[in-house]
Structure formats: structure tokens, C-alpha cells
Amino acid sequence: MNSSMNHYKEPAPILDKENPFESMMERFEIAAKIIGLDQGIYNYLKAPTKQVITSVPIVMDDGKLEVFEGYRVIHNDILGPSKGGIRYAPDVTLDEMKALAAWMTWKCAIVNIPFGGAKGGIKCDPSLMSQNELERLTRRFTSNMLDVFGPDRDIPAPDMNTNEQTMAWIMDTYSMHSKKTETAVVTGKPTLIGGSLGRKEATGRGVMTVALGALSKIGIKPENAVAAIQGFGNVGSITAHALYEKGVKVVALSDINGAIFNSNGFNIAELIEHVERHKTLIDYQNAEVISNEELLELQCDILIPAAKEDQITSKNAKKLKCKIIAEGANGPTTAKADPILQTKGILVIPDILTNAGGVTVSYFEWVQDRMGYFWTLDRVNRRLDRMMHEAFVNVYKSAAKYDVSLRIGAYIIAIEKVAQTLKLRGIYA
Ligand code: GLU
């Protein structure tokens, strides 16, 4: 690579579509243009390194054969083995995987861990499947991916509708083929089989760290802050609990069945127990049932979308009344909503920073597995807090240096890091 290469040319305008890959590329293009990214490197980063689509046949409990479609996209592995979750959902698409894989590349670069980015998924409805069917699906998918996964190649983790048990099945299937136990092939495993303390709570703890950082930037003390959180899965519930413990008043929460509101704030510990017993928060006492749209449009200090992509769009962005958005989910805001939020003066802490606590502790888990030496929870949390804080400070500095939003500041850090690494390593031919 040398400096005589072409400079980045402005791409054709993207239509007002709310496709996650296009949303990702729109931000990437803005950042690339600001730093004058070389056209060759732009092309290299735009195209995922590898995209696998595999057919996953399994025999269902009733004896019938069903065939599912599985995906794994490796966006880039120049910084190290690729890393990223695997999700099970009926609406999984290759484009979504491509966006999520690229976001993993940027996320790992921002928190400064030696991983590339990947994402996988299976198009299925896990709510309609038995544990045995899910186990067969996971094992067959893993066996199809034996030449993709590996502790030094590509390392999956939990994501939407997958969990510690799913990771245990992947680890076991891979290990059976390797003829030895390979704990480092996945992260987010149960602690009994090489998981890390604090991994399950890591994303939520990281969201809390950056949310408190953002509140302090605008001069609001946690005990005076009001939050609304969309989603009560692993990320939403742990974030809610972590903020509640810091004195933040969480006035609204939601799950797939709807949203609840109480202007006095919820006791999150009690709410978590309620959800364990009732499987939903919608029938919780002392709460007003509101719609998902109402939750997003509430007057509050901090709004935390911690559910899915494309929740804050060009259609509802103008109605938002929060001061800060901390993106717990991946891609909850579309690219078309960004300028609207900026004009309104809402401080957006981007997903690729906000939810990077999960992959950070995944990195700790991988390190511990390879050392065969396991850390205390206190050590995991201290290191996580430090790395999230450093990433937060760096994103702020980058945004100030280029006079851009925190999101574009974050993309710039990530793109520069990957581009510099590529220049050093060069292209093998
Ligand atoms: N699925 C999580 C994410 O989107 C975690 C990925 C990982 O730990 O590899 O960040």
C-alpha cells in the first residue's frame, strides 16, 4: 500500500430505505469521506471477507425432516480471529448478518481488543421449538461450520434467542470433532465449562458505564436522572438493574408483549423476580400499560433502546423527548434518523461503543480459556469498567477532533485502526 492510491470517491446516494446494512454503510461512508479514506481500503472494508449460507436439516420431534437456513458472515479478520454472536430468529437475513458483522469489526476496534468482526444466525422460530430440536439444530449448524469456527479463526457468542446452553452445545460439538476439549471456540459459555464470571452481565454493565458517563457530560447526577428502557432481555434487564443500583429512576420498560410506565420509577430487583415467575413484565402491579411508541417518545433524561434494529427511524425521531440515547441494541437507530436527532440536540451514544461490554468480556473469557486460569468477578469488572471508560473518552476525543457526532467519531476510530493495520500487514498476493 502506498499514498499514491486513489482517494475515496463519493458514492451514489442511498435511497431512504431502512435496511441495516445500508444504515451501517451510510455512517461508514460519512466517516470514510471525513478522513479521506483510500478508495482501495474503502472497497476492501465494504465487502465482507466471507459469507457462508448453509442448509441445516434436522429431524423434528414428530419425526418430520425440516430444513433451516443458517448464516455466518465474517466481515473482517485483519485485527485477529473474527468474533460475534449467533442469533436465532424468523426474520434473520443475510443483509442483517452483514451489517451486524461489520458492527462487530468496528466494536472490537473501538474497545481495542484483538478481534475481527463476524455474525451468524439461523432463520427459525425458537419459541416453537423444543430443547431437543434446538440442540439438534445447533449441533448440525456447528458441524456445517467446522471449517469456519475455531479458537484462532472465528469465535461465536450468544445473541438474540441464544444463550449459555447454546454455546455449550457448540463447544461440545466442535470438541468432539477435534478429539479434545476446545473451550476457547465460543464465549458466553456456562462458567462450569470455561465461561467467565461477569460475562452474562457485561453488556448491561457496559451500557450503565457509558450512560453514567453521558449523564455526567450534561451535568445530571444519577440520582436525579430518569430513564426509559426498551427491551427486558439480557441487555435491557441487566442495564435497568445496574442503573437502578446507581440511583437512576427507571420509569418505563418493555418486552415483546408491550411496555409499562410508572412515574415514581420501578424497583428493578422486584421486577426481575416478577419476570422470572410470570415470563413477562406486562402484568406487573402498579404500572400503567403503554405502547412501544409511547415508551420511545417519553420525556426522560436517557432512553435506552435495548431490543432490536430500526426502532428509532426518520418517522419517529422528531417525536423523541429524551436528552440522551444510549444504544444497548445493535443498530436501533437508522441512518436517516441520525441528522434529525442531531438537529434536536439529543446526545446519541452509538451502539458500537455502548454495547461493546459484552464482546470485551468475551475477549477476557477467551484469554482465560487459553491460559487455563480464571479471574475473580472483581478483576473482570474492574478491567471491563476501565476499557469501557477509555473507549468512551476516545470516542469523545475523536468526535471533538473532527467536529462530528459521537457515532461518526466512533466509526472514524474504528476505520482508522483497521486501515492502519491493513497498511502494516499489506495485501498477500
Ligand atoms: N452478540 C454480542 C454482540 O452483539 C456479543 C458478541 C461476542 O461476545 O462475541 O456484541
Side-chain angles (χ1 to χ4, degrees):
M1 305 261 130
N2 59 51
S3 51
S4 67
M5 290 179 102
N6 295 338
H7 267 276
Y8 167 76
K9 285 185 226 93
E10 196 158 351
I14 288 171
L15 301 172
D16 190 12
K17 267 201 220 139
E18 317 239 321
N19 163 312
F21 185 70
E22 287 170 4
S23 258
M24 187 284 295
M25 279 310 297
E26 269 192 71
R27 278 82 169 239
F28 172 68
E29 275 157 13
I30 296 170
K33 195 173 164 206
I34 290 170
I35 58 173
L37 187 71
D38 175 278
Q39 181 72 43
I41 298 182
Y42 169 86
N43 293 342
Y44 165 86
L45 286 175
K46 185 179 170 173
T49 298
K50 189 184 282 183
Q51 305 179 56
V52 183
I53 303 179
T54 182
S55 129
V56 191
I58 62 161
V59 178
M60 305 300 277
D61 291 346
D62 63 5
K64 288 203 186 98
L65 173 70
E66 273 210 38
V67 183
F68 296 88
E69 195 157 86
Y71 308 86
R72 185 74 176 166
V73 173
I74 294 176
H75 171 257
N76 194 274
D77 58 359
I78 190 115
L79 295 180
S82 50
K83 189 82 193 80
I86 292 193
R87 61 174 57 177
Y88 292 174
D91 54 359
V92 162
T93 63
L94 186 64
D95 253 8
E96 182 195 33
M97 296 295 111
K98 279 166 65 181
L100 289 160
W103 279 323
M104 288 308 303
T105 303
W106 314 139
K107 227 187 269 192
C108 293
I110 288 164
V111 284
N112 209 9
I113 58 178
F115 286 145
K119 202 75 168 201
I122 303 180
K123 201 193 273 284
C124 66
D125 188 346
S127 70
L128 304 177
M129 296 174 72
S130 70
Q131 275 292 97
N132 285 335
E133 288 168 343
L134 287 171
E135 178 170 354
R136 287 196 289 276
L137 183 76
T138 305
R139 287 188 183 278
R140 180 58 191 254
F141 176 65
T142 307
S143 120
N144 290 4
M145 292 291 164
L146 284 175
D147 55 346
V148 176
F149 296 163
D152 296 307
R153 274 198 302 258
D154 177 44
I155 308 146
D159 201 84
M160 217 175 271
N161 300 325
T162 57
N163 54 29
E164 292 190 340
Q165 179 60 74
T166 325
M167 298 306 114
W169 291 326
I170 296 178
M171 187 280 257
D172 184 70
T173 308
Y174 188 87
S175 297
M176 289 297 118
H177 283 268
S178 303
K179 305 285 179 204
K180 61 181 190 309
T181 297
E182 287 273 18
T183 52
V185 68
V186 285
T187 60
K189 301 176 291 295
T191 48
L192 204 57
I193 56 165
S196 175
L197 293 172
R199 172 61 187 87
K200 208 158 60 189
E201 296 77 21
T203 311
R205 187 178 173 92
V207 176
M208 178 267 287
T209 307
V210 300
L212 295 188
L215 282 170
S216 121
K217 289 273 180 196
I218 62 165
I220 300 179
K221 292 206 173 81
E223 58 274 24
N224 298 328
V226 172
I229 303 179
Q230 183 197 37
F232 207 66
N234 179 259
V235 181
S237 65
I238 308 272
T239 302
H241 191 249
L243 286 174
Y244 166 76
E245 288 206 313
K246 296 284 178 192
V248 173
K249 202 195 306 181
V250 182
V251 297
L253 292 153
S254 73
D255 63 18
I256 43 163
N257 300 307
I260 55 172
F261 171 77
N262 185 327
S263 59
N264 297 320
F266 289 103
N267 176 329
I268 305 295
E270 223 176 83
L271 205 54
I272 289 177
E273 269 174 37
H274 176 88
V275 172
E276 267 161 23
R277 269 181 279 117
H278 299 252
K279 305 288 165 230
T280 177
L281 41 74
I282 204 76
D283 54 359
Y284 188 67
Q285 299 290 309
N286 299 323
E288 188 189 325
V289 175
I290 58 171
S291 68
N292 183 47
E293 291 72 42
E294 285 170 314
L295 179 144
L296 294 174
E297 292 162 23
L298 272 178
Q299 179 104 45
C300 62
D301 297 306
I302 182 151
L303 172 66
I304 304 183
K308 287 209 69 171
E309 293 103 85
D310 292 353
Q311 299 302 300
I312 301 169
T313 65
S314 54
K315 291 173 192 74
N316 63 5
K318 47 187 147 337
K319 299 191 213 147
L320 264 49
K321 292 190 260 320
C322 55
K323 297 187 181 119
I324 298 168
I325 297 173
E327 297 181 334
N330 291 310
T333 308
T334 67
K336 297 281 171 284
D338 282 351
I340 305 172
L341 298 174
Q342 210 166 351
T343 310
K344 285 176 70 80
I346 297 176
L347 182 61
V348 180
I349 318 293
D351 47 3
I352 50 178
L353 165 67
T354 307
N355 70 38
V359 74
T360 302
V361 177
S362 274
Y363 167 56
F364 298 163
E365 179 172 330
W366 180 79
V367 168
Q368 292 171 78
D369 286 341
R370 292 162 70 100
M371 284 195 298
Y373 173 73
F374 291 86
W375 308 348
T376 59
L377 178 60
D378 186 52
R379 174 176 288 203
V380 169
N381 284 341
R382 269 188 292 114
R383 290 184 171 179
L384 169 64
D385 295 350
R386 192 189 67 221
M387 287 173 69
M388 288 303 293
H389 179 73
E390 274 170 15
F392 181 80
V393 169
N394 290 341
V395 168
Y396 251 88
K397 275 193 199 146
S398 163
K401 179 173 168 195
Y402 292 97
D403 192 21
V404 290
S405 65
L406 295 177
R407 190 187 311 284
I408 299 303
Y411 271 78
I412 289 177
I413 294 181
I415 295 170
E416 280 187 330
K417 180 162 185 196
V418 179
Q420 275 163 14
T421 310
L422 180 66
K423 278 186 190 150
L424 283 172
R425 288 184 62 162
I427 295 291
Y428 176 73

